[in-house]
Structures are given as structure tokens and as C-alpha cells.
Amino acid sequence: MCGIVGGIAERNVVPVLLEGLRRLEYRGYDSSGITVLDENQNLKRIRAIGKIKNLQEKIEQTDELLTGRLAIAHTRWATHGKPSENNAHPHISCDRVAVVHNGIIENYQELKTQQQEQGYLFESETDTEVIAHAIHSHLTANNDVLAAVQLAILEFEGAYAIGVTCKDDPNTLVAARKGSPLVIGIGIGEHFIASDVSALLPVTQQFIFLEDGDIARITREEVNIF
Ligand code: GLU
């Protein structure tokens, strides 16, 4: 069991996500990481092995302040690939799509072979990285991240809760689940996702519990579940 936290807001969500990760520590983990979409629309990622405080220290040591109104964060419990910074989530495809994942993609080896044939380069030993590349491969000219996730998940066998952000769409956070828990926290003009409600209690007491097979398009103003 690992932890997912994500958010889309008018304010900088990094402190909310770090507090959320701390609140999910009880679930167990070996590493952690965060990706924000910054104001120049670049995906910025920081990951660290061990405790959340190591991630916090790395964030504090970066030259530029890590801030963003759209971000996803993760505590990892390795199932595929050793605990390491490279294997820590979020995983990013082609600088465009960032993914956090809880669960196991059982057919990842088959998907990885296909994706390598398509030219995708792998930076980790995880099963999760195929999720990022699959979503990237389904992004069409109009960069519809929801549509790309809807097509990508048809390829996956196994269990997942995922949070997805895309460089081309600063207004959308996509979440999906099958077999692993995920909740959406409803704020005022802001929304969050997490593996369980405890992560989000400092920011909201109102939740939507995603059911198996649900995909959510989450903006600051709206949540649409498909
Ligand atoms: N299977 C993924 C990995 O090994 C996710 C593990 C988790 O749920 O933390 O990276």
C-alpha cells in the first residue's frame, strides 16, 4: 500500500500535498516524490528515497521555489524495481505526462516491449512507467488528457489508482481507479485527490469516493466522473 495525493487550486498546493503525504505515512513506504506544473508550464519533479523529511529537505534545497497550482505526489512501496530515486514516482513520459500509481500492472512486461518498439525510453524498473507512456501515446493533437487516460486504461491488467497531469493542460487533473482506493476532496474553488480521507482533512471534510472503473476529470471548479 502506498499513498497518492494530488491537487488543483488557485493557491500553491505543494504544502497541502506534503502534509497529505505525511498523513499517509502509516500505510508504509520506501520513497516519495512530487511533480508540479509550474507557472511556465513545465513539469518539475523532486523525488527522494526514505522518509518524507528527505523529500522536504530536497524541496527546500532547490534553487527555485517549488510551487504550483496543479501537482501530484506519492509515497511508494516498491513492487517492481528496487526502492531508489529513479523508481520513485511520479513517472514522466516525454516531459509531457506525469503519473502517480498505487497498485500493480500485471501485463507491464508485454506493454513495455511494445512501447520500446514504438521508441519509448524507460528510465525506471517499475511497472508504473508503462502507464505514463501509454497515456502519452494516446494524446492526440488536441491534447485531451481525459480521452488519453480513457484509452490507456483499456490496455492495463491489474490494479491501479492513478493521478495524472499533462503539461499541455494546466487546468485538469485526471484520476482513475480499479482495485485500489482513491477519494476526491471537494474544496471551495479547489479539488484534491488522495488514497484516503485522512490525507485531506486539513483542507476539506467533503469527499467523493471513486468506485472501481471510475475516471474523473477534475478542474478547480468542477469534478466530472465517467
Ligand atoms: N507497482 C508500483 C511500483 O512498484 C507502485 C507501487 C506502489 O503501490 O507504491 O512502483
Side-chain angles (χ1 to χ4, degrees):
M1 278 216 304
C2 72
I4 287 176
V5 194
I8 184 159
E10 193 62 49
R11 58 172 160 162
N12 172 27
V13 294
V14 172
V16 177
L17 269 50
L18 287 174
E19 175 59 21
L21 289 184
R22 275 184 221 106
R23 287 168 166 261
L24 295 176
E25 280 192 295
Y26 75 90
R27 297 164 71 89
Y29 65 104
D30 53 59
S31 52
S32 61
I34 184 166
T35 293
V36 307
L37 191 62
D38 73 7
E39 65 216 25
N40 302 318
Q41 249 175 278
N42 289 316
L43 290 171
K44 274 207 195 143
R45 174 174 64 181
I46 298 185
R47 298 177 290 179
I49 196 113
K51 293 287 171 195
I52 310 277
K53 77 169 175 30
N54 302 348
L55 179 69
Q56 174 97 45
E57 279 165 18
K58 274 184 107 173
I59 291 173
E60 284 161 10
Q61 282 156 14
T62 50
D63 298 340
E64 293 164 55
L65 220 54
L66 187 79
T67 61
R69 296 162 191 204
L70 172 59
I72 47 176
H74 188 262
T75 45
R76 175 175 188 240
W77 187 315
T79 64
H80 292 65
K82 61 185 174 298
S84 69
E85 199 176 312
N86 256 10
N87 287 335
H89 302 207
H91 289 285
I92 297 182
S93 178
C94 305
D95 277 331
R96 263 179 98 191
V97 174
V99 173
V100 285
H101 166 227
N102 175 202
I104 293 174
I105 300 301
E106 276 153 20
N107 59 336
Y108 87 99
Q109 196 56 62
E110 186 188 321
L111 293 173
K112 185 169 178 171
T113 306
Q114 287 167 13
Q115 292 173 350
Q116 281 171 326
E117 281 163 13
Q118 288 166 32
Y120 284 104
L121 299 175
F122 280 75
E123 295 173 352
S124 78
E125 304 153 340
T126 65
D127 52 333
T128 300
E129 201 176 343
V130 300
I131 301 179
H133 295 318
I135 295 168
H136 179 271
S137 76
H138 287 293
L139 274 176
T140 49
N142 62 3
N143 298 320
D144 185 341
V145 58
L146 173 76
V149 174
Q150 281 173 321
L151 288 171
I153 60 173
L154 299 175
E155 298 177 23
F156 308 147
E157 286 163 22
Y160 53 81
I162 56 173
V164 183
T165 60
C166 177
K167 182 183 164 77
D168 316 86
D169 189 349
N171 300 317
T172 306
L173 169 64
V174 174
R177 70 156 281 188
K178 190 185 136 204
S180 300
L182 204 59
V183 303
I184 300 174
I186 312 292
I188 299 167
E190 58 186 19
H191 292 114
F192 299 92
I193 58 169
S195 302
D196 76 36
V197 297
S198 65
L200 301 178
L201 289 176
V203 287
T204 184
Q205 257 94 58
Q206 207 187 329
F207 297 97
I208 297 171
F209 292 82
L210 288 180
E211 287 171 19
D212 267 358
D214 283 351
I215 305 180
R217 171 157 37 88
I218 304 164
T219 64
R220 281 199 292 274
E221 300 82 19
E222 275 181 43
V223 174
N224 296 291
I225 297 172
F226 303 88

